[in-house]
Amino acid sequence: MNAVVQAVAETRHLLSGNEAVARAVWEAGVKVAAAYPGTPSTEILENIALYPDVYSEWAVNEKVSIEVAIGASIMGARAFCAMKHVGMNVASDAFMTQTLAGVVGGLVIVVTDDVGLSSSQNEQDSRYWGRFGHMPILEPADSQEAYEMVKGAFALSEELNSPVIVRMTTRVCHVKAMVTVGERETHEPAGFEKDPARWVLTPAAARARIPWMFERDGKLREFAEASALNRIVEGGDRRVGFLTSGPAAMHVQEAFPDAPLFKLGFSCPAPIGRIRAFAGTVERLVVVEEGEPLLEQELKAAGIDCHGKDILPRMGEMGPDVLLPAVKPLLGEPWEAPVGHRRQSLFPRPPTMCVACPHLGPYFTLSRLRNVIISGDIGCYTLGAGHPWNALDTTISMGASMGVALGMDKGRGATDGKKAVVAVIGDSTFLHMGMQGLLDITYNRGNVTVLLLDNRAVGMTGGQDHAGTGRDIHGEEAPRVDFVKLVQALGVKPERTHVVDPYELPTLFKVLRQETKIEEPSVIITNQPCVLIDDYEKHQPYKVVDEACTGCGNCLDVGCPAIFVTRRDKAVKPSGKEVDLAFVRIETAACTGCNLCVETCAPDAIVHAAPTHSVKFQ
């Protein structure tokens, strides 16, 4: 068990923001916590699951996770859910209604923004949800603040009768800092009280709640104006003052330690009165926002003069290297990068799949098919868009491969009439948002071949369990979805449903080619586990016999990172065509003996090597 789980009150621990949030949730007396994994929020639920007196679960998607938390709150229990920024889009249907209904037990939602897109398909600013949902937003700058704000957010939620969003960014989620912890509070559920006018939100009932919500807005503004979470850090150089929130406040203090700073912890609604007063104490006000110019626009609408995105970039983190060159000219101090302060030129390392990943075979096979349009999805298999496979044509959002593929089929013109449409999706993503898309394909008689890559894990976020793995968040046995029965229940004919070993390339190629020629929905399910989970079984590794290698490079097209080019050359074919040759070796210590490269090697130059690790033979 994690040491912090057993930590006694008033002790200090080095915690990431995500670990600090988990501790705060437990101390706040939360009874129910739910989430779907997504970087950078994943570790929050993983750590909450270590506390035995909190019910925790991986939900199948973010909408379900917030619904579980809402249900617990209605029963009077304190409830929590976490998600990354794009997950909030999925959860928003339930969320936007609950802001109108309010809460009984405190309901806190941590939304983590991936500022700079380290692992996301877009950059969103989740502060907008506060304006959209008429609810408070809290923004911690480090682990200690994340701990304190999450813990205090439950009482705030109950006092304001509103869910509370705690907006964090990757910088807070993953960076560690010292945190002084406390004790768990006792918070017994108040119990369910029937109140159809509140909980059954028919149009008439919802309409009646709107004046109440507007009244709450006024209360929220009073709280924001008075909140101790909004505080001024005094500075002697009043030529420029800064208004900011979250980790950007740390960057401002590092770049301009003598400047006055108004740091917002309770950032929605904005405390306009206090900001106006602060602006009057400095010559120029600069609003530093990681994301959209949300505050800047509000201030300008309120008649408060300020700088913001006119001098600062619209995306990415606002580190000192960004702030200094942008703000120094306002002070009449042109900025020059310090000598030796050159950005490191790192060798490019494009993301790729793991050695022996079970997705390598499907993408190698797809790259060999002609006249195919491939709709992809979110997950490890998104990497199939890269070299050497180049086997994805679109990737939009979680589960979108299905609907996009159907749209491609129905929207095709004469130039694409003879092309097959393939949708690629992973097991967890299919359960998250893909099932409805497949149902739409079968219901509307789409001509789409679905490749369901079941690797028994949420691979991209670290191998978490889900409803298709047979284990719950605690690693205990749980009912496991039968994908064959599921896709057939969604309308796929039994003869159009196939289960294939992704390491058997000839079989995979034959089934894919067969199904893409048949004009009706079909599903091909691959059945090998992620190489990073315990279910994966290694085999005897391989090596290349140098003398036998012809340099054809076919094995490189599999994309396995354990295969390296040792020498390049050129040759002229009998036809007179010049071809490139690539002679290779296999990193035997990394090889798991999956056999994919062997199947591509015509001269049989790849043979078993002596095992360098413990090997189990079937």
Side-chain angles (χ1 to χ4, degrees), residues 54-71:
V54 179
Y55 168 80
S56 55
E57 67 166 49
W58 288 129
V60 295
N61 65 30
E62 294 84 357
K63 179 174 179 288
V64 174
S65 77
I66 200 170
E67 290 164 348
V68 169
I70 287 170

Side-chain angles (χ1 to χ4, degrees), residues 189-269:
F192 177 67
E193 290 188 14
K194 284 184 176 290
D195 188 356
R198 182 178 181 188
W199 303 125
V200 185
L201 286 165
T202 59
R207 197 176 297 119
R209 295 289 297 177
I210 290 176
W212 169 83
M213 184 178 70
F214 289 155
E215 185 179 334
R216 185 180 65 188
D217 284 349
K219 196 173 181 181
L220 285 174
R221 284 191 289 273
E222 293 176 7
F223 264 72
E225 291 286 351
S227 176
L229 298 178
N230 297 329
R231 60 187 177 86
I232 294 172
V233 180
E234 297 293 348
D237 185 354
R238 296 193 170 275
R239 292 177 296 167
V240 171
F242 293 91
L243 174 68
T244 189
S245 60
M250 302 290 198
H251 298 316
V252 169
Q253 287 183 296
E254 181 179 345
F256 297 94
D258 298 326
L261 167 68
F262 195 162
K263 179 178 176 299
L264 298 180
F266 192 137
S267 66
C268 178

Side-chain angles (χ1 to χ4, degrees), residues 244-462:
T244 189
S245 60
M250 302 290 198
H251 298 316
V252 169
Q253 287 183 296
E254 181 179 345
F256 297 94
D258 298 326
L261 167 68
F262 195 162
K263 179 178 176 299
L264 298 180
F266 192 137
S267 66
C268 178
I272 297 295
R274 289 178 66 184
I275 294 172
R276 190 188 302 280
F278 175 74
T281 66
V282 297
E283 294 179 21
R284 291 187 177 89
L285 179 65
V286 175
V287 183
V288 180
E289 298 178 88
E290 290 187 331
E292 300 290 331
L294 194 157
L295 275 170
E296 178 188 344
Q297 291 173 350
E298 289 186 6
L299 298 193
K300 288 179 175 174
I304 300 174
D305 188 32
C306 61
H307 291 281
K309 297 303 182 184
D310 56 330
I311 60 173
L312 293 167
R314 291 288 299 268
M315 63 172 290
E317 292 186 306
M318 298 294 124
D321 60 330
V322 173
L323 292 170
L324 284 165
V327 178
K328 282 284 188 180
L330 292 180
L331 303 173
E333 301 173 2
W335 183 80
E336 294 183 5
V339 176
H341 184 75
R342 296 178 59 189
R343 285 183 177 274
Q344 278 190 304
S345 179
L346 299 176
F347 188 80
R349 293 178 298 168
T352 190
M353 296 184 204
C354 299
V355 171
C357 173
H359 301 339
L360 295 175
Y363 281 117
F364 173 80
T365 307
L366 285 170
S367 70
R368 293 304 196 257
L369 292 179
R370 296 294 175 262
N371 289 322
V372 174
I373 303 171
I374 305 168
S375 169
D377 222 299
I378 304 295
C380 291
Y381 40 92
T382 306
L383 299 168
H387 181 77
W389 317 281
N390 302 315
L392 286 185
D393 296 309
T394 68
T395 300
I396 306 298
S397 63
M398 287 282 279
S401 59
M402 300 287 161
V404 170
L406 180 61
M408 288 175 160
D409 175 39
K410 299 297 184 184
R412 72 174 85 202
T415 55
D416 298 316
K418 294 183 179 179
K419 293 179 180 175
V421 177
V422 174
V424 182
I425 193 167
D427 47 344
S428 179
T429 310
F430 181 72
L431 297 174
H432 177 278
M433 289 293 280
M435 291 187 291
Q436 298 90 336
L438 179 58
L439 181 60
D440 206 40
I441 289 171
T442 58
Y443 175 62
N444 291 297
R445 296 175 289 278
N447 179 15
V448 175
T449 300
V450 175
L451 194 49
L452 202 172
L453 305 181
D454 178 10
N455 67 353
R456 302 175 208 169
V458 190
M460 181 66 91
T461 52

Side-chain angles (χ1 to χ4, degrees), residues 56-183:
S56 55
E57 67 166 49
W58 288 129
V60 295
N61 65 30
E62 294 84 357
K63 179 174 179 288
V64 174
S65 77
I66 200 170
E67 290 164 348
V68 169
I70 287 170
S73 171
I74 291 173
M75 299 300 285
R78 286 188 166 179
F80 173 85
C81 64
M83 59 198 71
K84 67 181 298 181
H85 62 292
V86 290
M88 193 62 188
N89 304 334
V90 179
S92 61
D93 197 7
F95 161 77
M96 287 300 291
T97 299
Q98 203 59 28
T99 63
L100 199 55
V103 305
V104 180
L107 174 58
V108 175
I109 307 157
V110 166
V111 184
T112 60
D113 283 358
D114 187 7
V115 175
L117 295 93
S118 65
S119 180
S120 304
Q121 65 269 39
N122 63 40
E123 185 180 67
Q124 288 179 204
D125 191 331
S126 295
R127 295 176 302 163
Y128 276 112
W129 290 110
R131 278 74 174 172
F132 203 12
H134 300 260
M135 60 180 293
I137 301 279
L138 308 184
E139 293 189 72
D142 59 21
S143 297
Q144 182 70 50
E145 286 193 356
Y147 162 82
E148 292 171 355
M149 288 188 187
V150 167
K151 193 173 178 182
F154 289 97
L156 185 67
S157 171
E158 289 159 0
E159 185 165 358
L160 294 172
N161 202 346
S162 169
V164 174
I165 285 181
V166 178
R167 183 228 190 187
M168 292 169 46
T169 65
T170 306
R171 182 69 57 177
V172 184
C173 293
H174 290 164
V175 171
K176 294 207 172 193
M178 296 304 294
V179 177
T180 302
V181 301
E183 297 177 333

